[in-house]
Amino acid sequence: MPTFPTLRPRRLRRSAPLRRLVRETHLDPGQLVLPVFVRSGDAESRQPVASMPGVAQTSVDEMLRDAAAAVEAGVGGILLFGIPTAKDAVGSEAWDEVGAVQQSARALKREFPELVVITDVCMCEYTDHGHCGVLTPSGAVDNDGTLALLARVAVSHAAAGADIVAPSDMMDGRVRAVREALDGAGYTDTPILSYAAKYASAYYGPFRDAAESTPRSGDRRGYQMDPANGDEALREVTLDIEEGADAVMVKPAGPYLDIVHRVKATTGYPVAAYQVSGEYAMICAAAERGWLDRDRVMMESLTGIRRAGADVIVTYFATAAARLLDGGWGGGD
Ligand code: PBG
Ligand code: ZN
């Protein structure tokens, strides 16, 4: 084994063209997914989310403007979250044919047929108590009682034209319930991207402002995963694949890169990683103070997620990152 001075690793780092030549990891705008928050109702509106600079809750038509910018930059997909007009105990607006997500999916498929439309399937934005499932009389989240509702939501999304449905509730058995319902309704070709390893994370704080989905009481630790567990993530992922998931998600991304790597290595399935609201907010906040270079940290964080093994990256930076890549971004050179 040769060593210094025969070996000098710096030789291949000495110029931008050399670095480019041997670069291992590349970001593709077509594998970035932009999450958006759409409010139901007809009035045109755009309400900025204070804790997520550049992100807003919008009406359907305003969302289409953001989608146009994303498509123009080459972004591959969009992830739809809906904010209902009214909430109730079972979240019934979640499967409303003219709900925010259903309307958005139809409009997007009409305007931008090539943009992959992914819909978030969950109850928390729609329930008055803010949990991801319905509650038992004693106030516990009722796993089995929630499955039929999630299935109904997924079918309504597929009917509206969703290209992929993404259940994010973390109820046990939901992937099977969703798969059976989709198949039963004739949507055998609609894939499921399951939020398989979703952690009970404090990094979701800004999202809950954006989606108005903070639980009224208690927290989500009874169904989302303990941040300390890695082996359990592999069990969750295996179960979801056995139940029919076509692709699996790890969430958050940055603090869980070991999980991204293990999931990719052990399953070989398409893996998505979600750079969540708190990861986005931290970078924006530091950049606003002049403490970090926003663009470079953005690209480094996305490159790290990809290097760990993610195929798809869900990120609020999707359009900004795609624009930089389009402009020939080369690892910061
Ligand atoms: C809930 C859901 C969450 C996110 C997306 N869907 C987290 C939660 O409130 O528990 C978080 C996304 C983000 O922080 O960007 N189904
Ligand atoms: Zn939820």
Side-chain angles (χ1 to χ4, degrees):
M1 195 56 176
T3 182
F4 179 83
T6 309
L7 268 193
R8 290 180 181 268
R10 287 184 55 195
R11 284 183 193 126
L12 288 171
R13 298 179 198 145
R14 293 174 58 83
S15 73
L18 280 173
R19 290 192 290 273
R20 183 173 173 201
L21 190 75
V22 298
R23 186 159 292 137
E24 298 172 26
T25 306
H26 299 275
L27 290 167
D28 176 350
Q31 295 186 307
L32 300 178
V33 173
L34 177 71
V36 294
F37 303 99
V38 190
R39 196 175 256 297
S40 63
D42 294 330
E44 276 205 29
S45 77
R46 173 174 295 268
Q47 276 209 313
V49 179
S51 48
M52 301 175 73
V55 176
Q57 276 186 7
T58 69
S59 52
V60 174
D61 40 339
E62 283 289 319
M63 178 279 296
L64 290 173
R65 291 199 179 102
D66 294 342
V71 167
E72 169 74 27
V75 168
I78 193 164
L79 174 61
L80 296 173
F81 291 97
I83 300 147
T85 311
K87 307 193 187 219
D88 61 29
V90 295
S92 50
E93 226 181 287
W95 58 81
D96 189 333
E97 257 177 59
V98 291
V101 169
Q102 292 82 355
Q103 274 192 43
S104 299
R106 274 192 292 270
L108 284 164
K109 289 323 292 180
R110 192 172 56 233
E111 303 281 325
F112 311 107
E114 252 119 74
L115 183 67
V116 177
V117 173
I118 309 173
T119 57
D120 185 85
V121 175
C122 199
M123 311 310 297
C124 55
E125 297 101 307
Y126 302 90
T127 52
D128 50 16
H129 45 76
H131 278 290
C132 299
V134 292
L135 303 183
T136 63
S138 66
V141 176
D142 179 3
N143 188 92
D144 299 15
T146 301
L147 299 181
L149 302 186
L150 292 166
R152 193 165 173 186
V153 174
V155 169
S156 80
H157 291 176
D163 294 302
I164 300 179
V165 294
S168 72
D169 50 281
M170 289 299 279
M171 298 302 117
D172 295 328
R174 75 216 200 276
V175 174
R176 171 163 293 135
V178 166
R179 185 71 271 158
E180 283 175 357
L182 287 173
D183 291 353
Y187 300 106
T188 50
D189 288 336
T190 303
I192 298 175
L193 163 61
S194 131
Y195 287 67
K198 178 173 178 182
Y199 287 88
S201 171
Y203 287 87
Y204 302 151
F207 171 92
R208 293 187 187 167
D209 297 339
E212 299 178 10
S213 63
T214 307
R216 289 285 145 82
S217 65
D219 55 43
R220 302 207 208 286
R221 281 182 282 200
Y223 42 104
Q224 298 179 349
M225 285 182 52
D226 185 331
N229 295 353
D231 294 341
E232 186 191 354
L234 297 183
R235 294 200 296 276
E236 277 282 6
V237 164
T238 304
L239 279 172
D240 283 6
I241 289 173
E242 284 168 2
E243 290 181 24
D246 300 281
V248 290
M249 177 119 77
V250 175
K251 175 181 176 182
Y256 297 87
L257 293 184
D258 57 325
I259 309 300
V260 172
H261 188 263
R262 289 174 71 185
V263 167
K264 186 63 189 178
T266 50
T267 68
Y269 265 62
V271 172
Y274 196 144
Q275 183 180 51
V276 300
S277 57
E279 299 177 76
Y280 175 81
M282 289 194 306
I283 294 173
C284 294
E288 272 179 17
R289 284 163 177 73
W291 292 351
L292 287 177
D293 179 325
R294 179 185 187 265
D295 285 356
R296 296 197 61 190
V297 174
M298 165 176 86
M299 296 312 266
E300 185 175 335
S301 66
L302 297 174
T303 300
I305 295 166
R306 179 136 189 73
R307 197 191 58 242
D311 301 293
V312 178
I313 306 177
V314 181
T315 172
Y316 302 94
F317 288 126
T319 303
R323 281 186 183 138
L324 278 189
L325 291 166
D326 201 30
W329 176 270
D333 288 332

